[in-house]
Amino acid sequence: MKLDLSFIGKNIRKLRRQRNWTITKLAAKAGINEVPLGRIERGINAPSASVIYRISKELGVSLDILFSEREQDFRFLQHKSSLKPFLITAGEE
């Protein structure tokens, strides 16, 4: 049984386009080639954990946003993250 993870690529594409970034720009920032990134965005390939991590860091979003399967959850998590855009690290308040 093949697990459909195409929603991850769709979320990456939405976030990239919201920033008016080309696929070339995101690929360069995340340190991957354009072709694999395009295949991820189209849902042909599933990204590795390290690629997901690098893309989320470059897009400035948490992993749960990339893993939102429903459009409604995606929008909610984007809104929620904008309310507290800065993470508090251990020992800070």
Side-chain angles (χ1 to χ4, degrees):
M1 180 170 98
K2 185 177 179 185
L3 183 61
D4 181 16
L5 299 175
S6 62
F7 61 90
I8 296 171
K10 290 176 186 173
N11 292 341
I12 291 169
R13 180 174 280 175
K14 286 178 203 171
L15 292 163
R16 177 179 62 77
R17 287 181 173 173
Q18 284 176 356
R19 288 153 179 75
N20 293 318
W21 290 359
T22 63
I23 201 163
T24 303
K25 182 173 183 172
L26 179 56
K29 286 176 151 293
I32 61 175
N33 290 320
E34 297 171 44
V35 173
L37 180 55
R39 292 177 64 86
I40 290 167
E41 285 191 356
R42 291 189 309 275
I44 297 169
N45 289 358
S48 67
S50 65
V51 168
I52 290 172
Y53 176 76
R54 292 193 316 260
I55 289 173
S56 72
K57 293 294 268 185
E58 293 306 327
L59 291 171
V61 298
S62 63
L63 294 175
D64 55 346
I65 291 176
L66 294 184
F67 280 89
S68 300
E69 291 187 63
R70 299 180 325 164
E71 180 69 26
Q72 176 183 356
D73 295 336
F74 180 81
R75 287 193 311 263
F76 171 75
L77 288 169
Q78 277 193 296
H79 172 71
K80 188 176 174 186
S81 69
S82 70
L83 297 176
K84 291 188 176 183
F86 303 103
L87 297 175
I88 297 174
T89 58
E92 294 181 14
E93 290 189 38

